[in-house]
Amino acid sequence: MRFLRPRGLEDGGRGIAAALANGILDCKCAGGGSLPRRTSRSIATSRRAVLLPRFGGPEVLQLRDNVEVPDLKQNEVLVRARAVSINPLDTRMRSGYGRSIFEPLLPIILGRDISGEVAAVGASVRSLTVGQEVFGALHPTAVRGTYTDYAILLEDELTQKPKSITHEEASAIPFAALTAWRALKTTARISEGQRVLVIGGGGAVGFAAIQLAVANGCQVVTTCGSQSVDRCLAGGAEQAVDYTAEDIELAIKGKFDAVLDTIGGPETERIGINFLRRGGHYMTLQGEAASLADRYGLAVGLPAATAILLKKQFQYRYSHGIGMVMLFSS
């Protein structure tokens, strides 16, 4: 098993974005055929895993042998990991983000992305076969993880791995790309001819969003650091503004139908909102729920986060005529 830190979808460029647009990563698996059914016990009974016994820096992570493999449920798939990736969400969770939710469950296995082979399937799984190469990602709130030799995912969290990419490349795609998909396709419902602004196009989610929007026939403008300008332009952006050297509000012209803010600070929120035309969508990865729940507890924090989001949605709807959505972060 190899670990890979995703820096975007560098291998496939527009081809991977086009595959996204065609539904490959929309959790619609393309396998089939008859297969053995293993429902109560998988072929592997123990595994190696990287466990998080307590919150802290990288030094708290522990590699352990003989970690039990749970019994498979009917809609679950056991995947033999060949590569997994490290997302920003993983490092934040390791440091204590979501403490109020995950602390009672320690020790836990971190990790969301995976690429490998199907080792066993539950009784109701019909789209995947044992031995098939697959890749996919767990839901952001899943308490199980992928930093292990054998990981368990739901059937609809996996799809067949294209032969054109390696396991390492495949493991860097799903979680970030699906975050971009949910923002642009599920929420904003982008279509050909629209203008899309991606704030933070140099990261994995931002770079996936650029390619996805371009594949859907949109005109894309992005902000990024100087080291990412050429890559964002190669990914299809019509303009890539170096935020370290240029004034974003002066460099970018016109209004946009959708703004995806992968940075999520007060300043980028203000800028993104002001760039939207009426009827547009502002989407941010930085929600309030987990941080407020950690600070005040679930009973107070979650209602407070909901109230803040509703207030902003009401405010922006009536002041700017736009919609606002907070997405799960990658």
Side-chain angles (χ1 to χ4, degrees), residues 142-173:
V143 296
R144 57 189 185 276
T146 59
Y147 294 177
T148 175
D149 289 334
Y150 290 91
I152 294 176
L153 291 86
L154 298 176
E155 179 182 11
D156 62 6
E157 291 174 332
L158 293 164
T159 191
Q160 184 175 353
K161 182 185 77 67
K163 296 183 183 298
S164 60
I165 59 177
T166 66
H167 284 296
E168 288 86 352
E169 292 166 337
S171 71
I173 297 172

Side-chain angles (χ1 to χ4, degrees), residues 128-153:
L128 298 173
T129 61
V130 172
Q132 187 175 18
E133 291 190 332
V134 295
F135 71 136
L138 290 164
H139 191 272
T141 59
V143 296
R144 57 189 185 276
T146 59
Y147 294 177
T148 175
D149 289 334
Y150 290 91
I152 294 176
L153 291 86

